[in-house]
């Protein structure tokens, strides 16, 4: 079985300050991990993915995430927030190597960016 | 290139009616997925197609829900005798997964279903 816990339902930052969105996962197998972003009334857009190559993964729009197996974490960071980053962010786990293809989503973190 | 498209973007229906939701995957993607996003339940997997067959239907909430895929392309999700709890955004995703690779799923904009 696999699961994802996003530790904060809401995060508020000021424009230009760092962003940290926290995610812990549980998986019986070597997981693939993703971060998706959803802007209001839009579909889900892939930010980045971890696939057991490099533990530090760089994504689009300046986001990156670090896979830490010892902490079972996959936190999303960005050095400097922009107003356009305001959206809902989902941490997602896949256990495709088990044969199960469904993604398991966290409950989401809503990021607010204050001017 | 074109992404995943879904239609309609919004659907309002009366309780007890049947609805059909359509998904056009990215051209060449062999895998297609349906998910549901609702306030109370978050994002949930419904069903997955590889080609025209559905190896995993484990997320379909009841026998009122069914889906098919034809020609390895377009998929239709059908909800019969809709109930108010079916109100949600239905998301479709597709991927070009091949064995041994990581499956990256690309999502459409969704269909917002409201059951009155």
């Amino acid at each position: 079985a696999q699961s994802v816990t996003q530790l904060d339902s809401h995060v508020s930052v000021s424009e230009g300050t760092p962003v940290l969105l926290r995610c812990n996962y549980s998986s019986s197998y070597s997981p693939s991990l993703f971060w998706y972003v959803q802007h209001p009334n839009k579909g889900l857009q892939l930010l980045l993915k971890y696939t057991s190559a490099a533990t530090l993964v760089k994504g689009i729009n300046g986001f990156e995430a670090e896979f830490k197996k010892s902490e079972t974490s996959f936190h999303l960071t960005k050095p400097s927030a922009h107003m356009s980053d305001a959206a809902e962010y989902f941490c997602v786990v896949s256990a495709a190597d088990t044969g199960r293809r469904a993604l398991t989503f966290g409950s989401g973190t809503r990021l607010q960016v204050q001017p | 290139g074109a992404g995943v498209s879904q239609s309609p973007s919004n659907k309002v229906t009366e309780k007890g009616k049947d609805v059909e939701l359509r998904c056009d995957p990215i051209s060449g993607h062999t895998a297609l997925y349906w998910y549901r996003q609702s306030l109370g339940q978050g994002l949930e997997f419904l069903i997955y197609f590889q080609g025209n067959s559905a190896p995993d239907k484990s997320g379909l909430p009841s026998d009122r829900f069914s889906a098919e895929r034809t020609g390895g392309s377009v998929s239709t999700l059908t909800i019969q005798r809709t109930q108010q709890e079916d109100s949600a955004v239905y998301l479709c995703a597709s991927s070009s997964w091949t064995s041994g690779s990581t499956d990256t799923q690309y999502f459409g904009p969704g269909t917002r279903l409201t059951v009155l």
Side-chain angles (χ1 to χ4, degrees):
Chain A
Q2 57 199 30
S3 65
V4 171
T5 302
Q6 291 185 243
L7 300 169
D8 306 291
S9 58
H10 289 85
V11 169
S12 182
V13 301
S14 298
E15 190 174 20
T17 64
V19 175
L20 170 63
L21 305 184
R22 299 182 296 164
C23 172
N24 287 113
Y25 71 91
S26 171
S27 177
S28 303
Y29 302 89
S30 298
S32 294
L33 292 159
F34 307 80
W35 277 97
Y36 282 85
V37 61
Q38 187 175 37
H39 291 274
N41 300 312
K42 301 282 188 185
L44 290 158
Q45 180 184 19
L46 179 68
L47 273 180
L48 50 81
K49 64 180 180 183
Y50 164 75
T51 61
S52 77
T55 56
L56 182 63
V57 182
K58 294 190 183 298
I60 62 171
N61 300 336
F63 284 94
E64 62 182 38
E66 186 171 7
F67 175 74
K68 292 187 177 180
K69 186 174 181 178
S70 60
E71 299 175 10
T72 61
S73 69
F74 190 57
H75 301 335
L76 182 70
T77 60
K78 182 174 180 177
S80 176
H82 192 272
M83 295 296 291
S84 61
D85 295 328
E88 184 122 25
Y89 291 78
F90 293 93
C91 184
V92 181
V93 64
S94 167
D97 57 349
T98 67
R100 186 145 197 276
R101 306 288 299 282
L103 298 178
T104 300
F105 285 78
S107 54
T109 297
R110 184 164 299 279
L111 176 65
Q112 269 187 312
V113 182
Q114 310 285 353
Chain B
V4 178
S5 62
Q6 294 185 245
S7 61
S9 55
N10 279 284
K11 176 72 177 179
V12 180
T13 190
E14 294 179 349
K15 178 181 172 182
K17 301 282 191 186
D18 298 351
V19 295
E20 285 188 353
L21 312 180
R22 176 188 167 108
C23 172
D24 276 279
I26 292 171
S27 178
H29 278 191
T30 58
L32 186 148
Y33 308 79
W34 285 98
Y35 293 84
R36 179 168 72 172
Q37 185 174 24
S38 57
L39 278 177
Q41 303 298 323
L43 266 151
E44 308 170 281
F45 166 77
L46 297 177
I47 186 170
Y48 146 61
F49 288 91
Q50 182 65 40
N52 291 336
S53 63
D56 189 351
K57 307 178 184 180
S58 62
L60 294 177
S62 76
D63 59 8
R64 296 186 296 104
F65 287 72
S66 62
E68 65 175 10
R69 189 179 185 197
T70 54
S73 182
V74 171
S75 176
T76 303
L77 177 69
T78 301
I79 309 173
Q80 295 179 308
R81 304 181 303 281
T82 52
Q83 304 294 312
Q84 288 182 330
E85 60 262 29
D86 300 334
S87 296
V89 177
Y90 290 82
L91 293 166
C92 177
S94 71
S95 75
S96 60
W97 180 83
T98 55
S99 178
S101 71
T102 296
D103 188 22
T104 299
Q105 298 180 24
Y106 297 90
F107 284 80
T111 294
R112 181 175 297 277
L113 175 66
T114 304
V115 181
L116 301 177

